[in-house]
Amino acid sequence: MNNFSYYNPTRILFGQGAIAKTAHYIPKNAKVLMLYGGGSIKRTGIYDQVKQALDGFTVLEFGGIEPNPDYATLMQAVQLAREEKVDFLLAVGGGSVIDGTKFIALAIPYTQSEPWDLLKTNAAQGLNEAVPFGTVLTIPGTASEMNYNLVISRRETGEKLSIKSEFAFPRFSALDPQVTYSLSAKQIRNGLVDAFMHVMEQYITYPIGAVVQDRLSESLMQSLIEIAPHAMEIDQPDYTARANFMWAAAMGLNSLVGRGVPQDWATHMIGHELTALYGLAHAESLAAVAPWLLWYKREQKGDKLVQLGMRVFGLISDDREALIEATIDALSTWFNSLGMPTTLTAYDFDPDEAAEAVAKRFDDRGWALGENADIHGSDAAAILRLSR
Ligand code: NZQ
Ligand code: ZN
């Protein structure tokens, strides 16, 4: 196991009634800016619950943060927060609103240069302050509610970039499984796949004797597989399944299972390009890349693929190659069983064109990704060409 430091200061308020408890963790007399997306919270009643919880605080609002939050939109919120001297932010939404709020929190006090530099250069590493914020999660999957990552898109330039900052941990996150009752099967499918892929990115590398991390990861993947059919029940939502889905997703990327182990993340990075270029939902982009990346890297990742196949998918075989192949098939079959496509041909663009475009972007940035830093532009292109 590698050396590591583990830090996660986010308080989780979990279960029914969690939203009402948020006010205890917002400083008294704070001027709060509540941030949300395209309006789902108004249809679902979450907006009213939050407003009730914030009774007594001065609350400003900023709505309209879009899926894959756009830099231009977020900068409007930064301007509002600066003008109004807001001192606490409350994100009410999914990964997009939460990531957007993280960016706003970092950007408000950042005046050294254009705030896009926080994503584009390593300016975020020099930060020494941010506006504190909490979150009310409305769609599980990204684990942004319990981590310090943010992924921001810029429509103007077709970019989608991610960073980490210790100032991007929420002070608290309210996780009430009942907020998921308004989600469609497609949204739940996306969350299940994203959560599963987060664990995979921290697991399918090479063995390093991290028994605890491996067993935790396997338990999270098994939990997601076990609860998926129940969590996908739309007409009569199953509280227990939704609660397990919500907690498994948060655990999948609160960085616990990734401490002290090699990590990959190439599927996510290739996927982000597909979202930026062609608008695929985040999880759709992952499912169209992962099986092919695993196939492309099956020798290097072989030991962990065998372990995944045996321990998570319950496969048995003396033939290592056959087991590796069966494991990748089992993953695709599981994604497909949720209604999630695993090839680029499901979408309306030319995979060859995508391969070239993504390769160029990787090469322009000098990227070498994966646990062995050996996935370059040409490898990303080869992986995308397999996805058909
Ligand atoms: O905008 P509204 O109207 O609220 O509708 C949203 C949005 O259209 C809707 N929604 C949310 N809660 C709902 C609901 N609809 C009905 N009922 C509810 N309770 O769902 C749509 C998608 O929301 P979004 O926040 O975009 O989804 P998700 O949570 O999947 O977030 C995706 C973003 O997170 C980034 C992705 O790249 C993408 O930008 N990620 C962030 C990560 C992180 N911070 O650690 C890691 C992930 O790998 C990921 O990259
Ligand atoms: Zn993800």
Side-chain angles (χ1 to χ4, degrees):
M1 196 191 305
N2 295 329
N3 297 342
F4 65 89
S5 117
Y6 182 57
Y7 173 67
N8 193 320
T10 300
R11 177 188 303 275
I12 297 296
L13 304 166
F14 196 95
Q16 299 171 27
I19 295 174
K21 294 180 186 142
T22 52
H24 298 305
Y25 302 99
I26 301 175
K28 301 281 167 261
N29 306 319
K31 190 171 189 184
V32 181
L33 178 59
M34 172 178 168
L35 299 121
Y36 52 91
S40 73
I41 62 163
K42 293 202 170 149
R43 290 191 299 278
T44 55
I46 298 169
Y47 175 88
D48 293 332
Q49 285 187 59
V50 174
K51 289 294 281 209
Q52 210 173 335
L54 295 179
D55 191 27
F57 286 93
T58 306
V59 183
L60 305 175
E61 293 180 24
F62 184 91
I65 297 178
E66 51 285 274
N68 307 305
D70 188 31
Y71 175 66
T73 307
L74 303 176
M75 285 308 294
Q76 291 172 27
V78 169
Q79 197 185 339
L80 173 70
R82 284 178 180 164
E83 281 166 12
E84 294 287 344
K85 300 197 175 8
V86 159
D87 38 33
F88 197 89
L89 307 178
L90 183 63
V92 186
S96 295
V97 171
I98 298 176
D99 285 4
T101 300
K102 290 177 175 181
F103 176 76
I104 294 161
L106 301 181
I108 291 169
Y110 181 79
T111 49
Q112 291 87 319
S113 65
E114 193 203 3
W116 185 247
D117 286 348
L118 292 169
L119 291 137
K120 190 96 189 185
T121 71
N122 62 1
Q125 303 323 313
L127 285 174
N128 49 24
E129 60 176 329
V131 175
F133 67 96
T135 89
V136 172
L137 180 68
T138 65
I139 176 169
T142 65
S144 186
E145 68 276 13
M146 202 178 173
N147 70 33
Y148 67 149
N149 311 330
L150 52 152
V151 190
I152 306 299
S153 297
R154 193 172 190 178
R155 306 288 192 279
E156 192 191 342
T157 54
E159 288 170 286
K160 179 169 182 176
L161 299 175
S162 60
I163 50 164
K164 299 177 191 305
S165 164
E166 291 212 349
F167 293 100
F169 277 111
R171 291 287 171 95
F172 63 78
S173 286
L175 276 59
D176 179 347
Q178 295 170 116
V179 302
T180 68
Y181 291 179
S182 52
L183 296 175
S184 67
K186 203 169 179 179
Q187 287 172 313
I188 293 175
R189 169 201 85 171
N190 287 350
L192 289 165
V193 168
D194 193 21
F196 197 92
M197 282 309 307
H198 293 155
V199 182
M200 286 276 288
E201 298 268 31
Q202 301 166 90
Y203 174 88
I204 290 282
T205 56
Y206 51 85
I208 191 169
V211 177
V212 175
Q213 292 88 326
D214 277 6
R215 295 285 185 185
L216 282 171
S217 293
E218 288 152 6
S219 120
L220 287 173
M221 290 188 281
Q222 284 175 313
S223 301
L224 287 164
I225 292 170
E226 181 179 326
I227 55 119
H230 311 290
M232 294 277 289
E233 192 57 62
I234 298 302
D235 295 336
Q236 283 187 313
D238 175 339
Y239 179 85
T240 305
R242 297 297 176 91
N244 281 297
F245 169 32
M246 211 171 208
W247 187 223
M251 290 288 290
L253 193 50
N254 63 5
S255 79
L256 180 62
V257 302
R259 293 304 89 196
V261 298
Q263 304 193 10
D264 183 343
W265 296 107
T267 296
H268 265 73
M269 292 306 157
I270 298 172
H272 287 171
E273 298 307 325
L274 296 175
T275 298
L277 289 164
Y278 305 107
L280 268 63
H282 174 61
E284 291 173 340
S285 75
L286 304 177
V289 173
W292 311 102
L293 182 142
L294 296 177
W295 178 252
Y296 187 75
K297 286 285 178 196
R298 64 191 180 283
E299 273 174 39
Q300 189 171 302
K301 291 178 181 287
D303 290 344
K304 289 307 272 293
L305 281 165
V306 164
Q307 189 174 317
L308 175 76
M310 288 176 18
R311 293 189 185 172
V312 175
F313 290 109
L315 303 172
I316 302 169
S317 172
D318 290 337
D319 181 339
R320 180 182 160 90
E321 294 312 310
L323 192 49
I324 289 173
E325 204 167 313
T327 302
I328 299 172
D329 272 355
L331 177 72
S332 294
T333 303
W334 183 60
F335 285 167
N336 294 156
S337 77
L338 303 174
M340 176 62 90
T342 43
T343 60
L344 290 179
T345 47
Y347 306 99
D348 200 16
F349 58 84
D350 177 11
D352 289 323
E353 230 173 71
E356 269 173 45
V358 172
K360 181 169 181 333
R361 287 178 163 208
F362 269 46
D363 291 339
D364 286 350
R365 296 181 194 134
W367 276 3
L369 303 181
E371 65 274 18
N372 294 316
D374 60 357
I375 297 185
H376 302 93
S378 57
D379 303 288
I383 290 161
L384 290 172
R385 286 200 187 94
L386 288 170
S387 178
R388 58 175 81 232

